[in-house]
């Protein structure tokens, strides 16, 4: 086995690989760009090498720098992680030349699976079920129509070198094929500099199901079950699970056998993934093979109990697979959510900045339920513009799908991040979506279920009552402490009413709240003011804790508690609710207060000091939210970020980058 | 006896109605609460004891003798906020528009005197039209009695003014002499002369909001220390503020059990200072991560944002925080920031609230606007305020401490007790570029030499070590241990005692 390996990656996957290496007694070397100097993977590794500026093209993607880092640190092997250099044939070849082992498949296998057309041909040869289609060169639109007629409609026209939805067209008729062919060709040329396109059958309501395979250098290949990754947003996976709720044992075996056949056909000798598109009727067709460790590999690890990184290390070192196909037993269900630094309420715009607070749920394993968080960041870290916006992968494993989803939902509720926008509210909402709960999936799920995007809503019913109960309990604990302040008058205890009016937004929920030993008891009031049955809230929460962990009537839950003016913001199940806990007197007065009175505090952004405009971050006509960066002005050699004080639309921009402005000079105007 | 009790009940009920139901409705229609409703929200339930409910004015001019309302436009008394005694007067807009008469003023001075005797805070809730014109000079004299008591009480008991409606003319000067003024957005305004007079005298057309609304006073004029959306929000925040404030200048700060470990370290602070020395960061993150449970009551949040002032707690006890804000104007000290911080520091010192200062200041703001505006004297106010402090002073230099601003920001030499620096601290007369251009003027033409000199200067001066070598700072501490070190320092300084020479009073550079 290797003594020392280098991880040619960053973020969570670098940390993930380091963890396994460390467990196996292997020393690790991290590489980092200038932007990652303080990153977690650098801190975790035994040694670290700087490899240049933040831009990946000048650091993580430069093969010579990685090779040089290995030489400098004596690393015998390199794990590429995913992305970056992981699927570049040239990388293992360069390592080979330098006498360094690549912890991944041989370059020939990467090359064979790298091209979409070539890989399909290889798959067809290996008798893998492929989508009916035409893989040869298509001469012109007439030829395309002829092919489409043979395949049967609808068909998909795709760029050979494509990815990310570019150069893709669905056609339902002859006319559409002709038109789509020319458009796809032009797009492919513009995007990838390669205008080859191919045509295949378009699967209606498809699901994305992939098989994890594992091979060694001795010709052994096994498969480790499947993962379903149908919940995608714009071709980017959001939630993955293993196994798939669609498959039965027979289909699973069929898919597994085909995946193994393909892997053997290309002499595959590492961990890899054979992706299939599946119809709702359990038909499946080869899509492509990913010759690397996938982002979503943890779900497979959870249900098989096999550490894929360990296996990759072993087979790379030349060991024979110790596992036979019969040793692979799928146990329970695993769900993974990808936590991204993107704002779901603003069309998933990426968000960058400092992780002022970062408190992921605790990793744990008890009563058959496991919570695992693969993360590459820590509190105080920076989400930069240079790399993938993924912050963490939250994985839960439980005996059943329903239990794994529930565990995932609870873990998401306890996932506390401040400083940047993130998609946890969206992930939470997904976890409670009835169609997801039923397992009725397709790759169009998000587009179909959230056609207008994701919107903030106020909770109702049971969820609202739970939030109100926790808000009341939290307020009660604050109140108890207030009544212990020093300097109180003697002989006159502050009395406290039990009755509370909890406002979630402007929705009022009336309840009684009282101490009950170590716990708090809440009774909701009926419309006639009669208190209902007592609900018992058990928690060790204390002021300052970001997350309320506890139970209501024995049901465990977590809610995020943020301080707000005269109240809290409670985060639960994707809701982020302003909660105020009023006494009856206060509530009566609050009802008299006007709603949403906005003062006109100026529709202009003026330069607050004499300075140089470094950049204007918005365009005319752009909608901006309070807190959004409008411009950066340098003064006294310091960059000052000017932010929007409230929501609005930019009407006119008066200054441009490079301009020197006097104090109070107009930078831009709002409509 | 029974008759009298019946009469009493009837008269109480009458007094409580103030200007009558119609006027109460009108008050609600404007989004405002009545004086008594406001007091009820401010005080602990059932704790308010009213004074002088039956007082009526004695004016006989202009037929006023036929127009009397018990209480005479102001509700006064005392009660508790979380069990601690607080005196209050609330102008009742429903009675004579809350205007001040001779008897109205007497009601206020009576509880001012009581508050002084009892050494408890006093809060005034304003919603009034000014002097009662029918009373003439008697009303004006009434103001003066109130003013003089404001001044006597200043520095003895906390005085807070909350503007919850109109506050104009003579009414503005009593709040102006109290410790804090808070305003309600959209429904309150404050000015010496209103829009009508302004138009007559200067032809300037301006609305009440533009002339003296919360948005003006909390951001431009610095008259208000904060502004809130409505009456309820404001009064609940006043309760929160009172929990931070000592009752008087001898009791010391209030204390309650803290849920936050004073030994808590926060590793994320080690990356708070960006690698690029010209990049800003939010100093409030440091404050929120140092104080107990991230609970911080900011004073003058929207004015002179380049300096942050406010109250937090460490180990359950109130601490005043002053911090340069690199996010705004690079945290520079200008006239406004100096005034804002100076006033805050003096409040803390008067009421024995220890002060923690976070320093990241590139200097004083240069330019004609500042110099013509009297930057020297405004800056001197802050210098004066810190220099005169006898409360515990703990200072942490996080990054820049350049030039005269280093001295002003609670340096050891002007009386701070414990001065710490983070490893990222740069304590120098100025930044590298400026310094090199002056020291090595002869080399200016030679870029290579200048670069070498700059590096030399940076290595030598842009660190905490020169200051540490000379004892100008006591220790270099890791950012993550800041809370722990501050808590220890404050505990050590708990009984700090400083003798100051007897004087009638100082002569602050006003």
């Amino acid at each position: 086995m290797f003594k020392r390996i280098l991880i040619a990656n960053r973020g969570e996957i670098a940390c993930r690989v380091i963890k396994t290496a460390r467990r196996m007694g292997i020393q690790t070397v991290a590489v980092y760009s200038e932007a990652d100097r303080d990153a977690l993977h650098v801190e975790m590794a035994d040694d670290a090498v700087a490899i240049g500026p933040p831009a990946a093209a000048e650091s993580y993607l430069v093969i010579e720098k990685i090779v040089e880092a290995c030489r400098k640190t004596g690393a015998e092997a390199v794990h590429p992680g995913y992305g970056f250099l992981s699927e570049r044939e040239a990388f293992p070849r360069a390592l080979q030349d330098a006498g360094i082992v690549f912890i991944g498949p041989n370059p020939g296998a990467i090359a064979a699976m790298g091209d979409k057309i070539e890989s399909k041909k290889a798959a067809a040869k290996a008798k893998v079920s492929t989508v009916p289609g035409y893989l040869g060169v298509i001469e012109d639109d007439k030829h395309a129509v002829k092919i489409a007629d043979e395949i049967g409609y609808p068909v998909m026209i795709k760029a050979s070198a494509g990815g990310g939805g570019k150069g893709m067209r669905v056609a339902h008729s002859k006319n559409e094929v002709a038109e789509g062919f020319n458009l796809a060709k032009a797009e492919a040329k513009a995007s990838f500099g390669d205008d080859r396109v191919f045509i295949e059958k378009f699967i209606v309501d498809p699901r994305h199901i992939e098989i994890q395979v594992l091979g060694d250098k001795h010709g052994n290949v096994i498969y480790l079950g499947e993962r379903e990754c149908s919940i995608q947003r714009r071709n980017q996976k959001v939630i993955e699970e293993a196994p798939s709720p669609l498959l039965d044992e027979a289909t699973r075996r069929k898919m597994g056998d085909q995946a193994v056949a393909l892997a053997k056909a290309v002499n595959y000798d590492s961990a890899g993934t054979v992706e299939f598109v599946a119809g709702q009727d359990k038909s499946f067709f080869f899509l492509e093979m990913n010759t690397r460790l996938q982002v979503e590999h943890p779900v497979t690890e959870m249900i098989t109990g096999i550490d894929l990184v360990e296996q990759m290390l072993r087979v790379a070192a030349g060991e024979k697979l110790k596992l036979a196909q019969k040793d692979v037993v799928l146990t329970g269900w695993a769900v993974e959510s990808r936590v991204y630094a993107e704002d779901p309420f603003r069309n998933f715009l990426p968000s960058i900045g400092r992780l002022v607070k970062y408190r992921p749920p605790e990793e744990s394993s008890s009563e058959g339920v496991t919570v695992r968080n693969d993360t590459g960041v820590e509190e105080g870290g920076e989400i930069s513009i240079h790399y993938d916006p993924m912050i963490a992968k939250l994985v839960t494993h439980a005996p059943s799908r329903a239990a794994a989803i529930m565990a995932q939902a609870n873990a998401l509720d306890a996932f506390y991040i401040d400083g940047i926008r993130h998609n946890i509210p969206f992930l939470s909402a997904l976890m409670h979506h009835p169609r997801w709960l039923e397992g009725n999936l397709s790759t169009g799920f998000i587009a179909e279920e959230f056609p207008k995007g994701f919107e903030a809503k106020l909770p109702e019913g049971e969820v609202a009552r739970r939030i109100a109960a926790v808000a009341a309990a939290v307020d009660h604990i604050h109140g108890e402490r207030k009544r212990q302040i020093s300097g109180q008058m003697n002989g006159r205890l502050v009395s406290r009413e039990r009755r509370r009016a909890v406002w979630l937004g402007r929705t009022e929920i009336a309840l009684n709240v009282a101490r009950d030993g170590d716990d708090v008891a809440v009774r909701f009031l009926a419309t006639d003011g009669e208190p209902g049955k007592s609900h018992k809230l058990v928690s060790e929460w204390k002021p300052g804790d970001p997350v309320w962990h506890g139970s209501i009537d024995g049901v465990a839950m977590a809610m995020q508690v943020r301080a707000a003016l005269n109240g809290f913001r409670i985060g639960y199940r994707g809701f982020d609710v302003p909660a105020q806990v009023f006494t009856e007197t206060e509530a009566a007065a609050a009802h008299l207060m006007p709603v949403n009175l906005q003062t006109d505090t100026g529709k202009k952004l003026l330069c607050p000091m004499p300075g140089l405009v470094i950049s204007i971050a918005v365009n005319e006509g752009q909608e901006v939210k309070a807190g959004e960066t409008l411009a950066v002005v340098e003064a006294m050699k310091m960059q000052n970020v000017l932010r929007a004080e409230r929501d609005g639309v930019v009407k006119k921009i008066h200054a441009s980058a490079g301009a020197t402005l006097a104090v109070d000079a107009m930078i831009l105007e709002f409509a | 006896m029974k008759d009298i009790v019946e009469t009493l009940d009837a008269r109480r009920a009458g007094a409580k109605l103030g200007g009558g139901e119609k006027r109460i409705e009108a008050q609600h229609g404007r989004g405002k609460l009545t004086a008594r409703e406001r007091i009820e929200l401010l005080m602990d339930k059932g704790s308010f004891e009213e004074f002088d409910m039956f007082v009526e004015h004695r004016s006989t001019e202009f037929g006023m003798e036929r127009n009397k309302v018990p209480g005479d436009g102001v509700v006064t008394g005392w009660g508790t906020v979380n069990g601690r005694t607080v005196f209050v007067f609330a102008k009742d807009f429903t009675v004579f528009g809350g205007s001040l008469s001779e008897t109205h003023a007497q009601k206020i001075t009576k509880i001012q005197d009581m508050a002084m005797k009892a050494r408890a805070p006093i809060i005034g809730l304003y919603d009034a039209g000014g002097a009662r014109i029918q009373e003439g000079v008697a009303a004006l004299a009434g103001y003066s009695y109130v003013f003089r008591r404001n001044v006597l009480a200043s520095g003895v008991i906390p005085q807070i003014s909350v503007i919850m409606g109109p506050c104009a003319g003579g009414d503005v000067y009593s709040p102006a002499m109290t410790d804090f003024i808070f305003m309600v957005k959209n429904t309150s305004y404050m000015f010496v002369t209103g829009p009508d007079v302004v138009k007559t005298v200067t032809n300037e057309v301006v609305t009440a909001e533009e002339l003296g609304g919360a948005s003006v006073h909390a951001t431009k004029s610095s008259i208000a220390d904060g502004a809130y959306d409505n009456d309820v929000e404001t009064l609940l925040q006043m309760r929160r503020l009172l929990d931070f404030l000592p009752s008087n200048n001898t009791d010391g700060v209030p204390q309650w059990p803290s849920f936050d470990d004073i030994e808590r370290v926060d590793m994320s602070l080690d990356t708070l200072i960006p690698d690029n020395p010209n990049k800003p960061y939010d100093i409030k993150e440091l404050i929120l991560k140092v104080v107990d449970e991230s609970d911080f009551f900011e004073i003058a949040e929207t004015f002179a944002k380049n300096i942050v002032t406010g109250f937090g707690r460490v180990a359950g006890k109130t601490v005043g925080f002053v911090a340069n804000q690199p996010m705004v104007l690079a945290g520079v000290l200008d006239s406004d920031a100096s005034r804002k911080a100076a006033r805050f520091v003096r409040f803390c010192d008067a009421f024995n609230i220890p002060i923690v200062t976070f320093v990241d200041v590139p200097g004083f703001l240069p330019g004609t606007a500042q110099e013509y505006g009297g930057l020297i004297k405004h800056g001197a106010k802050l210098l004066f305020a810190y220099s005169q402090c006898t409360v515990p002073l703990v200072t942490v230099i996080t990054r820049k401490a350049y030039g005269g601003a280093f001295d002003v920001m609670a340096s050891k030499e002007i009386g701070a007790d414990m001065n710490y620096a983070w490893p990222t601290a740069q304590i120098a007369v100025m930044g590298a570029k400026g310094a090199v251009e002056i020291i090595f003027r002869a080399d200016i033409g030679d870029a290579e030499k200048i670069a070498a000199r700059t590096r030399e200067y940076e290595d030598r001066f842009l660190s905490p070590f020169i200051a540490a070598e000379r004892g100008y700072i006591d220790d270099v501490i890791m950012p993550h241990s800041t809370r722990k070190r501050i808590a220890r320092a404050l505990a050590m300084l708990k009984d700090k005692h400083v003798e100051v020479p007897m004087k009638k009073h100082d002569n602050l550079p006003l």
Side-chain angles (χ1 to χ4, degrees), chain A residues 34 37-38 354 356-357 379-382 477 481-489 492 494-495 497 542-544 565-566 582 585-586 589-590 592-594 597-599 601 608-609 635-641 643 645, chain B residues 28 31 33 40-41 44-47 78 80 82-85 186 209 228 230-233 236-237 243 254-259 266 268 271-272 275 277-280 285 289 293 305 326-330 332 399-400:
Chain A
E34 276 162 27
R37 201 174 310 159
D38 296 320
R354 180 175 157 82
V356 174
K357 286 246 178 196
E379 192 165 291
E382 188 92 14
I477 291 162
R481 197 253 303 268
K482 285 179 191 163
R483 293 191 296 280
Q484 292 181 59
I485 196 165
S486 63
Q488 297 190 37
M489 275 174 57
R492 194 176 184 293
V494 184
S495 65
E497 309 153 88
K542 57 186 189 335
L565 202 67
N566 299 321
F582 290 130
T585 317
E586 289 162 359
L592 295 169
M593 294 296 104
L597 264 178
Q598 281 273 347
T599 17
T601 50
M609 65 261 158
M636 297 201 71
K637 304 187 197 87
M638 293 287 295
Q639 291 181 10
N640 295 276
V641 179
R643 291 168 201 279
E645 301 209 332
Chain B
H28 288 166
L33 300 174
E40 215 182 330
L41 287 189
D44 295 335
K45 191 174 174 69
S47 74
W78 70 280
T80 60
N82 289 321
R84 297 163 72 214
T85 308
N186 302 308
E209 180 67 29
Y228 302 101
N230 59 51
D231 282 14
V232 176
E233 205 176 284
L236 293 179
Q237 283 298 304
D243 285 344
Q255 187 173 5
W256 69 22
S258 166
F259 290 101
D266 196 320
S268 69
T271 55
L272 181 64
D275 287 341
N278 295 338
K279 256 184 85 181
E285 181 180 337
K289 285 181 173 176
E293 302 145 25
K305 292 189 208 170
M327 295 269 280
V328 181
L329 296 172
V332 74
R399 190 164 64 177
K400 294 172 188 167

